[in-house]
Amino acid sequence: QVRLIDAGFIWTEPHSKRLKLKLTVQKEVINGAVLQQVFVVEYIVQSQMCEDCHRIEAKDFWKSVVQVRQKTLHKKTFFYLEQLILKHRLHQNTLRIKEIHDGLDFYYSSKQQAQKMVDFLQCTVPCRSKSSQRLISHDIHSNVYNYKSTFSVEIVPICKDSVVCLSPKLAQSLGNMSQICVCIRVTSTVHLIDPTTLQIAEIDGNTYWRHPFNSLFQPKQLEEFIIMDINRVQEKKKVAGAGARSNKHTLAEAWVQKTSELNTDHQYFCCTHLGHILNPGDLVLGFSFLQQCRGVCVNPCWFSLQVLIKKSYDRSRRQRRRNWKLKELERDREGTDTDDERQYQDFLEDLEEDEAIRKNVNIYRNADVPVESDTDDDGAPRISLAEMLEDLHISQDATGGEGASM
């Protein structure tokens, strides 16, 4: 053993990644003689990353991805799904969320986290899924395999306010329901209503994939009508084998005219499920089979059919007085356009009009918009303050220091 007498650094270039130490040691040898020696110890600094950092730098940091797709022109279902994910905090374990044209990609660091997201989607929206995996590396000595997993989730291509045409077999299995139905809501199932009888039905994902059907019209094809005359009618007598009827809607017969044809005498007769909210002079959005189905193989009896979807209100006024807001997922976007903003406004209006949907959504009060008095009301649906949550904002430290507020 030796004694350390002195030690010190020798100056080196800062960028050389070398450390030099000058050490002086002594040791007693034969007959009390002391031997002293000076030598230099050189250290070389080598950069090294942990396994996780190495994966990030190599762009290989994710282990599983969940690809959610819906082949529709409107994103109402995705806006609703986004709010469900935020409410249940399913986005906390994601490494990255990427928005593409027809869906979202969720990236995870483990297969278990991705499987949890797939299970959540199957419980909240009608969909089907499949999975695959790709071998990345294999250590033959330790028999360790490194895979990347991909989960593909396809949501049924039906969104709210779509007009669908059921197959005869499916319509019969739903209680002899009419083939032409309106989608009034999409949750864990597709909610349909027959506008001529008020008969309702719910179709889950498994039923849809066994008897698939498509939308005849999308919300982007809505036309504006004006109610010329409307009469509430008693519900038609329920025939044997018929399904349940809606208690929230009222059957009515109406004469309508397109706002684009006000200078003509063209009027259309139709049955509607919106008799509880429509009055003469109201504006309503709907579809005209006569104009929309030309060149499409449908039943000739449907060519004169008009389907009213929802009452129309002044959109600009609704936006100005909307004193609430929603949170959004942080994601990479390919690009937004004016159509995306219009679709988002449609979704906000659906929340105001449908109480069943907004029960599943966290709605926050927007303090920047003043609350209007009840006297300034045009009859448009509104969300009450009791249904809103207070958004938490911490301006400085939450220990009660200067300026701390919530």
Side-chain angles (χ1 to χ4, degrees):
Q1 295 183 354
V2 297
R3 291 187 302 165
L4 180 62
I5 301 301
D6 189 22
F9 284 101
I10 299 177
W11 186 88
T12 57
E13 293 289 343
H15 61 273
S16 64
K17 291 190 176 182
R18 282 173 168 77
L19 300 176
K20 292 185 178 181
L21 288 177
K22 181 180 179 182
L23 304 178
T24 303
V25 296
Q26 288 182 352
K27 184 178 181 181
E28 185 177 351
V29 292
I30 302 173
N31 298 328
V34 177
L35 181 64
Q36 179 174 308
Q37 185 177 359
V38 177
F39 59 92
V40 177
V41 179
E42 182 176 350
Y43 297 91
I44 299 177
V45 180
Q46 293 184 347
S47 300
Q48 187 175 1
M49 294 184 182
C50 65
E51 183 178 354
D52 293 337
C53 295
H54 181 74
R55 290 185 180 278
I56 293 176
E57 290 298 323
K59 308 302 180 184
D60 187 32
F61 59 95
W62 59 272
K63 289 289 188 69
S64 296
V65 59
V66 179
Q67 300 174 339
V68 187
R69 301 289 184 268
Q70 186 184 32
K71 299 177 182 179
T72 57
L73 299 178
H74 207 289
K75 298 180 179 180
K76 285 186 177 183
T77 306
F78 271 107
F79 291 136
Y80 174 65
L81 183 60
E82 177 184 12
Q83 297 304 315
L84 292 179
I85 292 174
L86 286 169
K87 181 173 183 178
H88 296 278
R89 303 180 182 274
L90 266 295
H91 63 292
Q92 291 185 334
N93 295 325
T94 55
L95 299 174
R96 179 190 180 196
I97 301 176
K98 182 180 179 182
E99 179 179 352
I100 61 175
H101 175 66
D102 56 350
L104 293 171
D105 290 344
F106 299 87
Y107 294 88
Y108 295 91
S109 59
S110 68
K111 183 178 180 180
Q112 291 76 15
Q113 294 173 348
Q115 184 64 56
K116 184 178 179 181
M117 170 61 82
V118 175
D119 295 340
F120 173 78
L121 294 175
Q122 292 176 338
C123 295
T124 53
V125 290
C127 62
R128 63 180 176 181
S129 64
K130 60 182 179 179
S131 61
S132 63
Q133 58 183 11
R134 177 166 55 98
L135 180 64
I136 303 300
S137 62
H138 174 211
D139 188 347
I140 60 176
H141 299 289
S142 59
N143 201 28
V144 174
Y145 293 83
N146 182 22
Y147 290 99
K148 278 193 173 183
S149 303
T150 300
F151 295 87
S152 177
V153 180
E154 183 181 1
I155 303 175
V156 297
I158 306 296
C159 64
K160 186 179 183 299
D161 296 337
S162 297
V163 176
V164 300
C165 179
L166 307 179
S167 65
K169 184 177 180 180
L170 178 58
Q172 183 180 10
S173 66
L174 297 175
N176 294 321
M177 196 173 186
S178 173
Q179 288 183 252
I180 299 298
C181 299
V182 178
C183 178
I184 56 176
R185 190 180 303 118
V186 176
T187 54
S188 58
T189 58
V190 178
H191 298 252
L192 302 177
I193 187 171
D194 180 358
T196 60
T197 63
L198 300 186
Q199 188 172 339
I200 56 177
E202 297 183 12
I203 299 177
D204 57 15
N206 294 331
T207 303
Y208 175 84
W209 300 118
R210 287 198 304 267
H211 307 281
F213 52 88
N214 295 320
S215 299
L216 292 178
F217 306 118
Q218 298 288 345
K220 296 176 65 174
Q221 300 172 280
L222 286 169
E223 297 181 275
E224 191 175 60
F225 296 82
I226 185 171
I227 302 295
M228 308 305 294
D229 190 19
I230 186 169
N231 294 313
R232 280 74 176 176
V233 298
Q234 294 181 351
E235 294 185 5
K236 297 180 180 180
K237 186 177 180 180
K238 195 172 183 179
V239 298
R245 292 181 178 177
S246 174
N247 296 323
K248 298 181 179 180
H249 300 83
T250 302
L251 188 64
E253 296 176 345
W255 285 94
V256 298
Q257 186 176 21
K258 294 182 181 180
T259 54
S260 59
E261 299 177 352
L262 290 179
N263 56 345
T264 65
D265 295 331
H266 296 161
Q267 293 189 11
Y268 308 93
F269 176 80
C270 63
C271 291
T272 178
H273 60 290
L274 303 176
H276 58 297
I277 59 174
L278 294 181
N279 295 293
D282 288 342
L283 297 178
V284 63
L285 299 177
F287 299 107
S288 173
F289 276 67
L290 180 62
Q291 298 294 331
Q292 304 283 1
C293 286
R294 290 177 177 175
V296 182
C297 295
V298 296
N299 192 329
C301 298
W302 298 341
F303 279 126
S304 59
L305 184 64
Q306 318 297 319
V307 181
L308 306 183
I309 302 299
K310 62 179 181 179
K311 188 175 179 179
S312 178
Y313 301 94
D314 186 351
R315 165 165 287 187
S316 60
R317 184 175 183 181
R318 294 181 73 173
Q319 288 183 248
R320 288 195 307 268
R321 73 179 189 183
R322 186 172 290 139
N323 59 339
W324 55 273
K325 59 184 178 180
L326 301 175
K327 292 186 176 181
E328 297 183 7
L329 289 173
E330 294 183 4
R331 56 187 182 269
D332 300 334
R333 301 175 184 266
E334 287 188 345
T336 57
D337 52 25
T338 55
D339 186 59
D340 290 342
E341 178 60 27
R342 185 187 67 83
Q343 293 184 22
Y344 186 68
Q345 293 299 323
D346 289 342
F347 171 68
L348 298 182
E349 293 176 2
D350 290 343
L351 286 181
E352 293 175 333
E353 297 168 6
D354 194 340
E355 182 180 358
I357 287 292
R358 63 174 180 262
K359 285 182 179 179
N360 301 325
V361 176
N362 284 342
I363 300 174
Y364 298 91
R365 185 175 179 274
N366 188 358
D368 298 332
V369 180
V371 179
E372 294 185 1
S373 62
D374 295 337
T375 57
D376 189 16
D377 191 1
D378 59 352
R382 302 177 65 174
I383 298 179
S384 63
L385 291 175
E387 299 178 82
M388 303 180 192
L389 302 175
E390 289 290 343
D391 197 7
L392 177 64
H393 294 284
I394 302 178
S395 57
Q396 293 188 17
D397 64 55
T399 60
E402 181 180 357
S405 62
M406 294 176 57

